Amino acid sequence: MNLSDELDTVFSSRGRKLVSTAREFAASLADRNTEGAANWSRATLQEACAVGLAGIEVPEADGGDGQPFSVRIRVAEELARADFGFAFALINHHGPTARIATHASAEAKARLLPAMLRGDAIGCTAMSEPGAGSDFGAIQSAATRVDGGWRLHGVKRWIGNAAGADLFMTFAQTGGSRDGIACFIVEAASEGFVRRPTEAMTGVMSAGVGGFEMHDCFVPDSHVLVPPGQGFARAMGAVNQARVHVAAMACGMVAASLDSALRHARSRHAFGKPLLGHQGVRWSLADVATKLAAMQLLTYRATRLVEAESPDAVLAAAMAKQYAAEHCADAITACIGAMGAIGMTAGVPLARHLAAAPAIGIADGTTGMMRERIGAILEKSH
Ligand SMILES: Cc1cc2nc3c(=O)[nH]c(=O)nc-3n(C[C@H](O)[C@H](O)[C@H](O)COP(=O)(O)OP(=O)(O)OC[C@H]3O[C@@H](n4cnc5c(N)ncnc54)[C@H](O)[C@@H]3O)c2cc1C
């Protein structure tokens, strides 16, 4: 039994069903992506929502599956086997959907949640800006109090799903410092909202990374998701979870690459025997399998600690993401190497996975910031 199957054994039948739905969905994506990289697609996201993948952690009473964080992690891992960008887009939509279910006003929830679960309204999380990525506390987007709500002004960049999303969970300053950061649900249909062109990012086009401008966008009080004073801490909590699912997506890409390489190396012969019979190929794939196991163990441990709301989750998530980011590209390159030229063709996803691998070390916190986090915790604890 492999490590991911081992994790699935603790899930409820509903949790296991969601993981197998994600596996089947990934297989259908892989069939569609044979021509190479896919672009962001609202229709594909809607299909995933139609089979329940937007409601994993949404409470059952609100129309979701009420499953734990670990199920979201396994769904992310399975989807990334076919396409990291799509997995990122779906999980980026699931985040605001679950948050609106648990934290939004009754009015916003009634208006937005059913459409998000169906995939008729796509959501995303907007923290980064042209001038502030790692240094999130330095964001410049500003919200000013007005009668009945807030007026938002600013620019966001590098936002997954921004290519076509309808709802933006947007972080903005209400005072001059990080203590004043709040989070607002900004609707793309609002006056003053201008979508920016999608970024041309090799390997992750299906994540629909883009940006938008807000020119005095009015946001009613009912659309305040996190009040001033709590925005920074809440964002850091969510980013900690996101680090674990980005690590899980790296595991998915490496696992799929290893499966392809093993299938090929068993069936293709060179110098009178299967490629896998040659020590050079066998040892190289043995190293990939060992790295994958280490990536998964760190990721699943972080998952367990996040789920238990343990204070150790921050360190575990940073370690899982750092390790995954550092080994993902090397592992996929070794799998391509074991396959020869065919490993670089569009018919197998390895070259696309390799192109997406640097995103593991950037999205939801760079590898440098993971090291900073780990170092700071070590400094405090010794
Ligand atoms: C595919 C993808 C999807 C994304 N999706 C989203 C999204 O949905 N929502 C969102 O809000 N953002 C998103 N982002 C943005 C992402 O979170 C930022 O790119 C990330 O936080 C890094 O910020 P930056 O790109 O501005 O780099 P910078 O912060 O400018 O960092 C550049 C380099 O400087 C290093 N550095 C910075 N500060 C320090 C320091 N104190 N010590 C040591 N080194 C340092 C970094 O480690 C990095 O190597 C996405 C990015 C990608 C690639």
Side-chain angles (χ1 to χ4, degrees):
M1 187 186 278
N2 66 34
L3 288 168
S4 48
D5 290 342
E6 220 173 279
L7 180 64
D8 297 351
T9 56
V10 302
F11 294 166
S12 66
S13 59
R14 221 158 159 177
R16 280 200 297 275
K17 174 84 180 75
L18 281 168
V19 175
S20 68
T21 299
R23 190 175 297 134
E24 283 158 25
F25 201 87
S28 83
L29 270 184
D31 288 344
R32 288 182 244 181
N33 287 353
T34 50
E35 296 306 314
N39 283 326
W40 187 86
S41 161
R42 172 185 288 275
T44 313
L45 282 169
Q46 274 175 328
E47 277 178 54
C49 295
V51 293
L53 297 179
I56 305 165
E57 286 176 282
V58 172
E60 282 180 70
D62 293 319
D65 269 295
Q67 291 300 303
F69 177 67
S70 42
V71 173
R72 188 205 318 176
I73 289 303
R74 286 286 296 119
V75 166
E77 185 177 3
E78 289 296 333
L79 291 175
R81 289 179 63 98
D83 186 343
F84 166 82
F86 179 79
F88 194 86
L90 192 272
I91 295 296
N92 245 21
H93 170 59
H94 172 273
T97 308
R99 213 149 299 266
I100 283 172
T102 50
H103 287 91
S105 66
E107 192 184 332
K109 190 169 148 178
R111 184 171 133 73
L112 307 173
L113 185 60
M116 294 183 86
L117 284 168
R118 286 195 306 272
D120 291 343
I122 299 295
C124 63
T125 303
M127 297 170 62
S128 305
E129 299 185 352
S134 305
D135 189 5
F136 169 62
I139 57 170
Q140 296 292 308
S141 289
T144 312
R145 193 87 181 96
V146 292
D147 207 18
W150 298 78
R151 286 215 173 264
L152 267 69
H153 193 84
V155 182
K156 294 288 179 183
R157 195 175 182 191
W158 312 121
I159 311 304
N161 282 343
D166 309 281
L167 304 166
F168 294 75
M169 223 164 63
T170 304
F171 288 84
Q173 302 274 8
T174 63
S177 73
R178 73 185 211 183
D179 293 337
I181 294 177
C183 180
F184 305 86
I185 306 167
V186 176
E187 299 197 33
S190 317
E191 206 175 314
F193 179 97
V194 180
R195 203 184 300 273
R196 286 188 154 190
T198 309
E199 307 282 351
M201 294 179 102
T202 311
V204 297
M205 286 307 288
S206 45
V209 177
F212 59 97
E213 296 165 20
M214 296 170 292
H215 300 281
D216 282 329
C217 271
F218 177 72
V219 175
D221 281 330
S222 61
H223 280 34
V224 176
L225 197 57
V226 181
Q230 295 176 29
F232 188 83
R234 287 274 193 87
M236 290 303 110
V239 159
N240 199 49
Q241 296 195 357
R243 286 173 182 166
V244 188
H245 55 65
V246 171
M249 290 176 201
C251 296
M253 290 196 288
V254 171
S257 302
L258 180 60
D259 283 353
S260 296
L262 284 170
R263 256 194 318 274
H264 182 79
R266 268 197 205 100
S267 62
R268 180 164 170 93
H269 286 65
F271 301 96
K273 54 181 171 179
L275 292 176
L276 207 52
H278 294 282
Q279 192 183 59
V281 174
R282 200 166 57 227
W283 282 19
S284 167
L285 295 182
D287 287 349
V288 172
T290 307
K291 274 181 196 164
L292 173 62
M295 285 165 67
Q296 286 177 318
L297 286 170
L298 285 170
T299 302
Y300 298 159
R301 177 170 180 270
T303 301
R304 193 166 47 77
L305 292 172
V306 166
E307 213 164 79
E309 296 180 18
S310 161
D312 295 335
V314 175
L315 177 64
M319 285 178 165
K321 187 164 185 292
Q322 184 202 333
Y323 192 85
E326 290 197 331
H327 293 285
C328 185
D330 281 357
I332 298 167
T333 304
C335 293
I336 294 176
M339 294 180 74
I342 204 161
M344 294 185 66
T345 57
V348 290
L350 281 74
R352 182 153 36 85
H353 287 338
L354 185 58
I360 302 293
I362 300 174
D364 294 301
T366 64
T367 299
M369 296 319 291
M370 295 309 103
R371 286 209 170 88
E372 275 300 301
R373 175 62 48 226
I374 296 163
I377 293 172
L378 288 180
E379 198 179 11
K380 266 198 209 147
S381 63
H382 283 77

